[in-house]
Amino acid sequence: MMTKWERLAHELRLKEYTHLIVGPGASFAYLTGMTAHVSERLTLFGMNADGHAALLLPKLEASGVPRSLQIHVYTYSDELGPVEALKAFASDLGVHQDSRVGIESGHMRIFEEHALRQVGITHLVSADEVPMALRLIKDSHEVALLQSAAQIVDAALTSTLPLLKVGMTELEVAAELEYQMRKLGSEGTPFGTIVGSGPRGALPHGGPTTKQIEQGELVVLDYGALIAGYAADTTRTIAFGEPSIEARKVYDVVLLAQETAVDGVVAGITAEDVDELARTVITEAGYGDYFTHRTGHGLGLDVHEYPSIMKGNPLVLTPGMVFTIEPGIYLPERFGVRIEDDIVITEDSAQVLTQFTKDLLIVGD
């Protein structure tokens, strides 16, 4: 079996790139085992198509390079800046005027691009598909980390529910959830926790506010945990007090759509077919116009990565792919419902990593 670096070099040759250079982010972590923070300092990993790799780091980060990482490291001080070290980094990798250097166009900042161009690395082309091909299939260790994160989000909600009362603010609910996840071992949150109550639940990405949660309101809770950089992402919708008949109806439609899609996931199905399973249920119930996003997204070191579970994506789902299934209905200025689980494709079926009940729970009475 090829190592990550051997697979990367193979992908570069296959796609006819001479090099790949990535900045801080999930692919950097995947390829180096190091967490690099996006900052005002230049940090880069590079590899050429022959499999030779190099790192460019601020001097203060050099001690964080694992001893097991056999790689040339070029450092610089704050006083001198990165230019000379960057030139040495580029020379070591064999970058020249005609090199076709791949970058992650969806992640690399103008800051990094400008620095590369400063030292003559000018033929930069989008190569997002290269690290995507490596990271798309998770190995057993990665799946175990994702499962650990999923167990934390489940347990955190179990611990939080008894603390919830009508009259709490959305921010207070978010704080309780995040505190419980930290206590259970989460390294942080992979995205801003979403708590949307009542009309604010109709905002799919509505962050928590000082709004007080009122009797009878549905509340959308979308939150995540991190273990060794790998993210769990789950959503449950709960009721603070007895909800309306219509709210229960909409909840039941979303639940049926979500469970239909989950039950239909198997190796060999396409991403767009999974989306269609969920979307058909919601459309036939008369709420198609209020399901305004894809059915799911990939999950790993990024909380949103490949594959996208959506119409128009013919990708065949294969063992080791991990993604969410999260249909929703959002009635503007009234309420919203979303239910989300994390799924991993196995050889003969699909495993649901998040196991918290999807029954409509009523709290805060």
Side-chain angles (χ1 to χ4, degrees):
M1 182 179 293
M2 291 192 293
T3 67
K4 291 177 182 178
W5 286 8
E6 288 169 340
R7 290 166 55 210
L8 174 56
H10 174 75
E11 286 292 326
L12 291 175
R13 294 191 295 270
L14 189 66
K15 302 289 173 48
E16 299 184 342
Y17 298 107
T18 62
H19 300 78
L20 179 75
I21 296 178
V22 299
S27 292
F28 185 99
Y30 181 82
L31 292 166
T32 67
M34 299 172 57
T35 299
H37 300 288
V38 176
S39 74
E40 74 282 8
R41 296 184 175 97
L42 189 66
T43 300
L44 297 170
F45 168 85
M47 178 178 280
N48 62 31
D50 293 328
H52 179 70
L55 269 175
L56 175 76
L57 295 173
K59 188 171 289 185
L60 81 165
E61 303 289 356
S63 61
V65 179
R67 291 184 179 181
S68 59
L69 193 64
Q70 301 298 310
I71 193 169
H72 292 244
V73 181
Y74 297 89
T75 65
Y76 61 92
S77 66
D78 288 344
E79 294 80 10
L80 293 178
V83 173
E84 294 305 315
L86 181 55
K87 288 178 181 177
F89 167 86
S91 176
D92 186 12
L93 291 174
V95 183
H96 52 75
Q97 188 173 359
D98 297 325
S99 295
R100 187 168 181 257
V101 180
I103 61 170
E104 290 183 292
S105 60
H107 291 83
M108 183 169 281
R109 299 176 297 171
I110 293 175
F111 171 69
E112 285 92 3
E113 182 179 349
H114 177 71
L116 293 171
R117 293 186 184 280
Q118 265 192 311
V119 298
I121 304 176
T122 57
H123 192 185
L124 302 174
V125 291
S126 176
D128 298 77
E129 76 279 9
V130 172
M132 178 199 77
L134 271 63
R135 292 170 48 203
L136 185 60
I137 305 298
K138 274 62 179 180
D139 62 27
S140 58
H141 176 64
E142 292 176 288
V143 171
L145 293 172
L146 289 162
Q147 187 161 32
S148 294
Q151 290 168 347
I152 285 177
V153 296
D154 285 348
L157 187 52
T158 298
S159 299
T160 300
L161 285 176
L163 307 174
L164 302 182
K165 303 292 181 186
V166 171
M168 292 179 72
T169 69
E170 294 171 340
L171 281 167
E172 287 172 327
V173 174
E176 289 290 356
L177 265 175
E178 292 173 8
Y179 175 58
Q180 296 299 329
M181 287 190 290
R182 284 286 197 178
K183 285 176 65 177
L184 290 162
S186 177
E187 299 163 354
T189 55
F191 57 92
T193 299
I194 293 170
V195 178
S197 61
R200 297 196 68 263
L203 304 173
H205 285 165
T209 69
T210 57
K211 177 190 176 300
Q212 289 186 315
I213 300 172
E214 298 178 13
Q215 182 77 21
E217 287 188 327
L218 293 184
V219 181
V220 177
L221 306 174
D222 189 343
Y223 62 103
L226 285 171
I227 293 292
Y230 283 82
D233 177 10
T234 189
T235 306
R236 292 295 187 265
T237 301
I238 62 175
F240 275 59
E242 184 63 35
S244 68
I245 294 174
E246 183 184 25
R248 280 190 173 275
K249 176 187 174 183
V250 171
Y251 188 93
D252 289 343
V253 172
V254 174
L255 178 59
L256 178 60
Q258 204 265 352
E259 290 184 333
T260 299
V262 169
D263 292 344
V265 173
V266 65
I269 195 172
T270 67
E272 62 184 354
D273 284 343
V274 175
D275 178 270
E276 184 63 21
L277 288 171
R279 201 166 299 278
T280 296
V281 172
I282 291 174
T283 299
E284 289 181 352
Y287 294 101
D289 290 342
Y290 303 103
F291 179 14
T292 53
H293 54 73
R294 60 191 173 184
T295 291
H297 56 80
L299 199 60
L301 285 166
D302 273 326
V303 74
H304 282 187
E305 56 181 53
Y306 297 99
S308 285
I309 310 301
M310 66 181 186
K311 183 178 181 179
N313 184 6
L315 178 71
V316 175
L317 303 180
T318 57
M321 292 184 184
V322 181
F323 51 88
T324 67
I325 292 183
E326 50 178 302
I329 293 174
Y330 311 97
L331 302 181
E333 300 182 4
R334 298 177 66 196
F335 61 86
V337 176
R338 181 165 66 253
I339 302 170
E340 175 183 20
D341 282 317
D342 301 343
I343 311 292
V344 58
I345 299 281
T346 62
E347 291 294 337
D348 53 4
S349 61
Q351 179 184 358
V352 182
L353 300 179
T354 40
Q355 289 290 313
F356 193 87
T357 182
K358 289 180 279 191
D359 295 338
L360 179 57
L361 299 180
I362 300 175
V363 302
D365 273 346

